[in-house]
Amino acid sequence: MQDKIDQAIQQISKVIIGKQDQIKLALSCMLANGHLLIEDLPGMGKTTLSHALAQVFGLDFSRIQFTSDLLPADMLGLNIFDPNEQSFTFHPGPIFSQLVLADEINRASPKTQSALLEAMEEKQVSLDGTSHPLPSPFFVIGTQNPLHQSGTYPLPESQLDRFLMRIQLGYPDWQAEKQMLQEQNDDVTQQIEKVMDLEAFQQLRQQVFTVHVSDNILNYILRLVTFSRESEQFPNPLSPRASKALLHAAKSWAIIAGRDFLIPEDVQAVLPAVAEHRLRTSLADFTGQTSLSNKLLEAVDPLAA
Amino acid sequence: MIYLNRNLSHLLLSLALVILSVSLFEPVLSWIQVLVFCAFVMRISLYLGIQKHSPSIRTLNLLALLSGLVLAYFSWQLGVLLGMVNLLVMACSLKLMQLRNQRDYYQLVASVLFLISCGFIFEQSIIYSLIFGLCTVLTLLSLLAHFSPTIPFTRLNKRLLIMTLQAIPIGILLFFGMPKLAPFWQMPTSQSAETGLSDTLTPGDIANLSQSTELAFRVTFDDQIPPVQERYWRALVMENFDGKSWTISRQRNQLKRNNFVRNDEFRPRLSGPFYRYEVLASASNQRWLFAMDIAVPDDQRSDGAIWQSYDYQLMSKKPLISNFKYRVKSFPQEDLNFTDYAFDRQINRSIPTNGNLRTRDWARNLRKMAGSDRAYIEALLDHFRTGNYRYTLKPELMPVDQIDTFLFDKQAGFCAHYASAMAFALRVVGIPARVVAGYQGGEMRENDYLSVYQYDAHAWIEAWVDESGWQRFDPTAAVAPDRISLGLQAAVEDEGSFLDNRTFSLAKLKSVAWINAVRLGLADLDYFWSRWVLGFNTEAQKDLFKTLLGNLSTGRLAALSLGTFAAIGLLLAIFYLPNWHPRKVHPADKIYNDAQKILSSYKIHRAHWQGPLEFAQKVQSFCNDKAGQAFTRLSKLYIASQYKKSDGNHELAKKQIRMMRSELRKLKTALNNPG
């Protein structure tokens, strides 16, 4: 199983060059059955990453470009009267996919946003009194553009934490970008091979639950969240939902690292992605400033008994 | 964080400082009070967010420099103690405006606590003790808020309350059980506390004193209580008259000094009925004590602390910098003829060569007409009684020939005027006479104790007639009998001048029943406080030990002291026990910590947020290969023991620990021999 994970990482690295950590984070987010928010400038490979993830696990993929006039029905689907059958039939929208890329999620109106977030939470779509279950697995990768905020509806703080992780891709380094420029083939789908079928993927997800968590690790996580609550440096302390998310994401990270138990480094690796958008909810301080999650990490000793 | 403006701990601390500086109203200069108040307002506005920034350091430096200069100017008049206290209050207020970092805050807390203890130099009454206690509690609350800024205020209060209650038994034990050591250094005497009689009697002084409601002393009688007419409390004898003021004679002082050096104490042999009582004198920074004639110390302790002199005065051997308790026996029917007549006569007949001519003529005429000395005295008293004299607390100024002006023109004055005039009239015709200053009367509290206030101050005269010794005559009693029998307030009732410089004084409202009850209740409380708390000195402690232990052997005393300390230790132990409970350290943790310590000595430290795996990588990059590998293996074992699922296999766990130990040894050797 482990080599399959390594293979998957290697496959994705072919198109997203030099971003091992982000790829691993995205993978662990999927393994932890969480939704991913990618926040970056245009052209950094957000879409490419989502494509590659779908490709590697053989998931069907759809992309919804969010605009200010996008209506919930455009995304969820709608009941249309069929004159032959004399009845309404449901025409599912693009959200009925295993992996949905919600591009520029903050461009849509709050109404549409909340329809998406509801679907993410409930894993089903309710329309005219009937609920239509979404496919399983169901992942949403939302992207946000941190700059150019005019005419957008930033996600409300209360809904940001529906995303398990928030990651940023950032610019590639010199070597990586050079390598990328040397690549001839631009088509993602052609480059990437499927390494896992759905069954293997689900198995892997089950494996996450079996990761052993010692008391020491639980105490470490508790110290982290408690510190965020007791220190005045954190305007938005971490909620119990956050601590649960942290644990789950760390477990997936351990699986990716090939371990069946958690060590402090697992928690530390996922904490910035899991906690940063919960600690600091506004987009405004995207650039500059030391990150709050790093501050939190540096304040707590993982070994203190 | 210290930098936050909305800081409750700072607000509380500034509140403590304000209350403290207001309570030190007298010693602290008013402009410094204003400075403190400004700092307080600054803190409030920072707290409420009206202001965003505290003043810049340059502004404050300038302010500090200017304030320092002004204070230096005032310090000349203030003296060392007051100057220093003022400096401290000023520094605190400036620090309060600034508070940039933790150190500033701690400094301010320490200074405020020190100031609180300084407050006890000036005031020790129960009210002030409560105020100072409140300030201490506020300061502690501020510290608590500083250390746990996220805890809500109500919980802080609760915690502080619990801690204070825990501290009270320890405080009581320390108070009663700790040996009372003599102070290591002399307590600086404060100028502002100097109240009471003055050793110069220029008529006019006592009018000021009459207006003060401060307590002079308290008396507890053992059994019999003398009637009010007999309650003349001698404090000072003034035998030198320069035409204007009465002062203590220089010859008398010289004699006293000589006697003291020769250890020749005045010890009259007295007999007859007597009163026994205990006096609790308020701090006055003076040495004179108060007693009725003829007084001798009643017990060993008082005898040791009191010096008796030949003018029937009792003097404390040390100035009364705090309340002083002594026991006295008074023999009211004994004549005051135990002293050297020749000396007394010599210094008590001299008058200035000029001045007050009308009085001289008038006195000589009167003496001729009277025939005898005794008749002359009677005639004088009669003159005061029948003449057009008036008792008043608001006499007019009499700058020249005071006695002439008083006797023939103004004919209105208070005790000092009458005493001065009569003593002068006696001296003119060659009768030895002197002025005695002290207190008269006092307020009886339910046959329990007698309070004598500063407004009971009085002056009378003594004259030597008929070889029967010094006799007391009180011309004031002739003029205003009410002053003696009913007290000062009755004597000046028509005038309305009783305490009229005090806008609000409970003593002034004696006629309103409930206010009087409150006032007397407060007096009771104050009496209790002075007697049992402030008066709890070495001797009182000894008495307490005696009642506890029976007789005082060294062994028993030592046992008691040790017992006290043991009890305190026990109380502290109960408090700290939960923290002392040894925490179980996992052996793997211990070995890993040892390894960390060894690495630390080679300047390789684990950043406290680093996990074991990350640290192992760091060590590998910093150490030689052997050590790095050893530590990596050790880290892996540590991770396995700490984070891996244990199947309850103790053998495996033990094996892991053994392996870790061997890796630790390998690490040591690898580090020691880098080759």
Side-chain angles (χ1 to χ4, degrees):
Chain A
M1 197 55 93
Q2 187 59 39
D3 48 322
K4 286 208 170 155
I5 296 173
D6 292 342
Q7 262 178 42
I9 295 170
Q10 195 201 333
Q11 286 296 325
I12 300 170
S13 297
K14 281 206 285 192
V15 288
I16 308 283
I17 300 163
K19 295 284 171 200
Q20 285 273 343
D21 275 356
Q22 281 86 341
I23 294 168
K24 278 196 208 167
L25 279 172
L27 274 181
S28 54
C29 183
M30 287 181 82
L31 288 183
N33 205 10
H35 306 286
L36 180 68
L37 182 65
I38 305 177
E39 204 172 87
D40 223 321
L41 299 168
M44 305 295 260
K46 295 182 294 244
T47 320
T48 315
L49 176 63
S50 331
H51 260 294
L53 283 170
Q55 194 81 22
V56 156
F57 296 117
L59 306 174
D60 56 298
F61 174 79
S62 71
R63 170 183 175 153
I64 311 169
Q65 180 66 44
F66 276 45
T67 56
S68 53
D69 56 357
L70 184 82
L71 295 175
D74 299 337
M75 178 178 69
L76 303 176
L78 67 171
N79 290 320
I80 293 176
F81 187 71
D82 184 350
N84 298 334
E85 299 270 329
Q86 288 290 311
S87 67
F88 285 93
T89 45
F90 178 65
H91 288 245
I95 201 170
F96 286 86
S97 282
Q98 285 166 323
L99 202 157
V100 178
L101 174 64
D103 217 357
E104 299 210 70
I105 195 168
N106 54 341
R107 296 229 165 258
S109 62
K111 195 176 177 183
T112 314
Q113 280 178 2
S114 73
L116 173 69
L117 291 164
E118 196 195 324
M120 280 161 58
E121 193 70 11
E122 311 285 333
K123 311 251 159 148
Q124 62 176 18
V125 171
S126 300
L127 213 69
D128 296 338
T130 33
S131 41
H132 309 278
L134 288 163
S136 174
F138 174 70
F139 296 113
V140 173
I141 297 178
T143 74
Q144 268 199 119
N145 183 347
L147 300 177
H148 314 300
Q149 292 292 307
S150 61
T152 64
Y153 304 92
L155 285 177
E157 279 100 13
S158 57
Q159 299 193 333
L160 261 181
D161 70 347
R162 300 281 167 85
F163 290 98
L164 180 70
M165 288 188 190
R166 181 179 72 167
I167 61 172
Q168 288 151 11
L169 288 173
Y171 296 110
D173 59 23
W174 184 281
Q175 277 302 323
E177 201 160 357
K178 196 170 180 185
Q179 199 187 332
M180 189 192 87
L181 292 175
Q182 284 165 344
E183 286 288 339
Q184 301 297 314
N185 198 341
D186 243 10
D187 191 352
V188 174
T189 42
Q190 284 179 17
Q191 282 180 41
I192 293 178
E193 299 157 19
K194 177 178 167 186
V195 293
M196 222 182 280
D197 59 359
L198 200 57
E199 200 184 329
F201 179 67
Q202 297 285 36
Q203 212 183 328
L204 204 55
R205 271 174 50 180
Q206 283 305 313
Q207 213 182 315
V208 170
F209 290 101
T210 65
V211 169
H212 174 68
V213 184
S214 70
D215 234 28
N216 292 319
I217 292 292
L218 285 183
N219 288 337
Y220 178 44
I221 291 176
L222 285 174
R223 277 201 301 277
L224 282 168
V225 294
T226 314
F227 185 81
S228 83
R229 289 165 199 170
E230 282 180 354
S231 164
E232 275 193 1
Q233 302 169 51
F234 303 101
N236 299 300
L238 292 176
S239 61
R241 185 193 283 178
S243 48
K244 222 172 144 186
L246 187 59
L247 179 64
H248 208 158
K251 279 177 170 181
S252 315
W253 185 270
I255 287 287
I256 291 173
R259 246 182 291 105
D260 63 347
F261 58 94
L262 269 185
I263 61 169
E265 277 83 351
D266 296 327
V267 179
Q268 294 182 344
V270 297
L271 186 111
V274 173
E276 186 67 23
H277 64 294
R278 300 169 206 257
L279 290 169
R280 187 205 307 275
T281 45
S282 68
L283 272 172
D285 32 29
F286 167 67
T287 49
Q289 298 195 23
T290 51
S291 82
L292 285 176
S293 46
N294 280 341
K295 218 185 242 177
L296 179 58
L297 273 183
E298 280 168 22
V300 181
D301 186 349
L303 300 188
Chain B
M1 282 259 87
I2 193 92
Y3 304 102
L4 279 180
N5 286 331
R6 260 185 73 85
N7 195 322
L8 186 67
S9 61
H10 293 176
L11 192 72
L12 288 170
L13 190 61
S14 51
L15 188 64
L17 184 62
V18 166
I19 294 176
L20 188 64
S21 73
V22 170
S23 71
L24 295 174
F25 189 72
E26 251 171 274
V28 176
L29 293 171
S30 51
W31 63 269
I32 291 179
Q33 305 256 16
V34 171
L35 208 60
V36 172
F37 197 72
C38 286
F40 182 50
V41 170
M42 231 173 256
R43 275 292 142 201
I44 290 179
S45 60
L46 281 174
Y47 184 75
L48 296 179
I50 302 167
Q51 273 286 335
K52 292 277 180 274
H53 304 285
S54 46
S56 75
I57 185 76
R58 278 176 58 188
T59 319
L60 281 177
N61 279 341
L62 185 67
L63 189 60
L65 184 71
L66 294 178
S67 314
L69 284 175
V70 177
L71 185 63
Y73 173 75
F74 277 109
S75 298
W76 290 119
Q77 302 150 22
L78 289 176
V80 178
L81 175 71
L82 283 183
M84 284 301 146
V85 169
N86 276 295
L87 181 68
L88 201 55
V89 176
M90 189 189 87
C92 281
S93 67
L94 290 172
K95 191 50 96 185
L96 188 61
M97 293 185 193
Q98 195 188 18
L99 285 182
R100 282 173 309 173
N101 47 36
Q102 301 264 13
R103 230 184 75 209
D104 285 351
Y105 176 75
Y106 294 144
Q107 248 175 26
L108 188 58
V109 168
S111 311
V112 168
L113 288 176
F114 184 75
L115 260 180
I116 291 172
S117 52
C118 284
F120 283 106
I121 298 178
F122 303 103
E123 304 285 354
Q124 293 138 25
S125 68
I126 188 161
I127 303 279
Y128 280 97
S129 301
L130 285 177
I131 292 175
F132 293 148
L134 175 75
C135 287
T136 316
V137 167
L138 271 177
T139 314
L140 293 179
L141 191 63
S142 156
L143 264 181
L144 206 56
H146 179 77
F147 280 113
S148 29
T150 48
I151 294 182
F153 189 56
T154 42
R155 254 180 67 198
L156 282 184
N157 279 329
K158 209 173 133 194
R159 192 190 284 185
L160 187 70
L161 185 74
I162 290 169
M163 286 168 89
T164 311
L165 290 180
Q166 283 165 337
I168 283 174
I170 296 178
I172 290 174
L173 271 176
L174 282 173
F175 180 73
F176 285 112
M178 270 289 281
K180 305 242 174 227
L181 301 174
F184 293 124
W185 57 85
Q186 182 75 41
M187 182 131 104
T189 49
S190 80
Q191 281 184 338
S192 69
E194 265 180 45
T195 50
L197 293 176
S198 122
D199 51 6
T200 320
L201 189 87
T202 313
D205 265 14
I206 293 206
N208 297 334
L209 256 187
S210 300
Q211 308 289 320
S212 163
T213 52
E214 254 176 78
L215 184 75
F217 57 96
R218 283 212 167 93
V219 187
T220 321
F221 289 98
D222 281 7
D223 29 49
Q224 235 190 329
I225 299 156
V228 66
Q229 290 84 356
E230 277 186 36
R231 296 204 289 253
Y232 279 87
W233 304 96
R234 176 193 294 262
L236 286 169
V237 179
M238 299 173 182
E239 294 169 304
N240 181 44
F241 184 59
D242 64 357
K244 230 179 149 175
S245 3
W246 290 85
T247 47
I248 294 166
S249 159
R250 206 176 301 157
Q251 290 106 304
R252 175 70 74 186
N253 269 341
Q254 187 65 46
L255 180 72
K256 274 186 197 171
R257 260 197 297 279
N258 291 343
N259 285 345
F260 194 76
V261 171
R262 288 203 313 268
N263 201 15
D264 172 17
E265 194 172 355
F266 175 55
R267 300 236 176 238
R269 267 184 296 281
L270 302 169
S271 57
F274 56 82
Y275 299 111
R276 298 176 71 165
Y277 50 94
E278 185 181 77
V279 180
L280 181 68
S282 300
S284 64
N285 284 311
Q286 302 292 354
R287 288 173 50 188
W288 56 70
L289 300 174
F290 319 98
M292 294 186 295
D293 293 329
I294 297 170
V296 287
D298 192 24
D299 61 2
Q300 197 76 39
R301 187 194 311 149
S302 308
D303 200 23
I306 294 174
W307 178 265
Q308 286 174 271
S309 63
Y310 281 87
D311 47 1
Y312 304 96
Q313 244 180 278
L314 299 183
M315 306 282 281
S316 164
K317 285 179 180 164
K318 286 182 201 145
L320 304 186
I321 51 172
S322 59
N323 290 3
F324 176 58
K325 199 155 64 171
Y326 54 95
R327 290 197 57 85
V328 186
K329 218 190 235 178
S330 286
F331 297 80
Q333 289 175 13
E334 281 280 4
D335 286 335
L336 280 69
N337 56 2
F338 292 87
T339 47
D340 177 13
Y341 177 56
F343 177 79
D344 283 5
R345 184 184 154 94
Q346 180 210 334
I347 63 172
N348 279 308
R349 288 170 66 185
S350 68
I351 47 172
T353 43
N354 47 18
N356 295 315
L357 294 175
R358 276 192 284 171
T359 311
R360 287 169 203 248
D361 290 345
W362 172 76
R364 285 190 192 112
N365 280 333
L366 199 64
R367 171 69 184 84
K368 253 180 233 161
M369 273 157 49
S372 73
D373 283 353
R374 193 159 277 284
Y376 171 62
I377 292 172
E378 277 310 314
L380 271 180
L381 289 174
D382 211 44
H383 175 75
F384 285 131
R385 207 172 289 133
T386 54
N388 200 16
Y389 289 97
R390 198 159 55 79
Y391 185 81
T392 176
L393 288 179
K394 295 172 172 173
E396 287 174 61
L397 283 178
M398 303 168 197
V400 283
D401 286 350
Q402 175 252 322
I403 294 173
D404 275 7
T405 323
F406 167 67
L407 278 180
F408 305 111
D409 303 339
K410 308 290 185 205
Q411 299 197 323
F414 52 87
C415 53
H417 291 92
Y418 291 99
S420 166
M422 185 163 171
F424 180 73
L426 290 174
R427 282 189 179 190
V428 165
V429 298
I431 303 173
R434 62 190 185 185
V435 171
V436 181
Y439 297 86
Q440 200 283 322
E443 185 180 55
M444 201 66 215
R445 177 79 172 129
E446 285 161 9
N447 292 338
D448 196 8
Y449 61 89
L450 186 80
S451 302
V452 180
Y453 297 96
Q454 294 295 0
Y455 60 69
D456 290 318
H458 191 52
W460 59 92
I461 69 153
E462 278 176 347
W464 188 289
V465 270
D466 304 344
E467 304 301 316
S468 62
W470 290 105
Q471 280 181 31
R472 180 175 67 221
F473 297 99
D474 189 355
T476 316
V479 176
D482 286 353
R483 166 69 185 86
I484 307 307
S485 55
L486 297 174
L488 183 68
Q489 193 180 11
V492 293
E493 197 154 30
D494 302 335
E495 194 177 72
S497 60
F498 180 64
L499 297 175
D500 67 349
N501 58 348
R502 301 284 179 107
T503 40
F504 180 74
S505 169
L506 287 177
K508 210 170 162 181
L509 299 168
K510 272 184 188 170
S511 50
V512 185
W514 69 268
I515 290 182
N516 204 30
V518 167
R519 190 180 69 87
L520 292 174
L522 285 178
D524 274 353
L525 200 65
D526 192 47
Y527 173 71
F528 173 82
W529 179 256
S530 332
R531 196 185 155 116
W532 297 113
V533 180
L534 297 181
F536 189 77
N537 49 16
T538 324
E539 286 79 25
Q541 195 178 32
K542 244 184 219 161
D543 287 349
L544 179 77
F545 288 170
K546 233 178 235 170
T547 49
L548 282 180
L549 300 176
N551 69 329
L552 286 181
S553 67
T554 325
R556 283 187 176 187
L557 264 181
L560 187 75
S561 304
L562 283 178
T564 311
F565 281 116
I568 292 169
L570 195 71
L571 285 171
L572 287 176
I574 291 170
F575 184 72
Y576 281 114
L577 206 60
N579 297 355
W580 283 343
H581 191 68
R583 279 222 308 269
K584 243 179 133 177
V585 179
H586 195 278
D589 268 325
K590 200 183 161 300
I591 296 170
Y592 192 75
N593 284 342
D594 288 347
Q596 278 192 67
K597 268 179 213 155
I598 294 165
L599 286 168
S600 285
S601 63
Y602 286 89
K603 299 266 183 305
I604 304 169
H605 306 279
R606 182 178 71 90
H608 80 280
W609 48 268
Q610 260 174 340
L613 206 60
E614 216 175 322
F615 183 50
Q617 280 160 13
K618 180 181 168 184
V619 169
Q620 224 160 15
S621 65
F622 276 89
C623 280
N624 58 50
D625 281 351
K626 259 188 178 168
Q629 280 156 13
F631 186 72
T632 308
R633 282 194 298 272
L634 189 139
S635 297
K636 286 215 169 111
L637 285 164
Y638 175 69
I639 288 169
S641 83
Q642 289 294 292
Y643 303 117
K644 234 182 182 164
K645 193 169 187 176
S646 70
D647 322 324
N649 188 342
H650 291 293
E651 279 309 306
L652 185 71
K654 274 181 191 162
K655 199 181 155 203
Q656 273 178 344
I657 299 298
R658 274 201 302 277
M659 282 163 75
M660 279 182 82
R661 285 216 179 92
S662 83
E663 293 299 341
L664 183 65
R665 278 194 295 276
K666 278 182 203 161
L667 175 70
K668 267 187 215 170
T669 39
L671 283 169
N672 284 332
N673 317 304

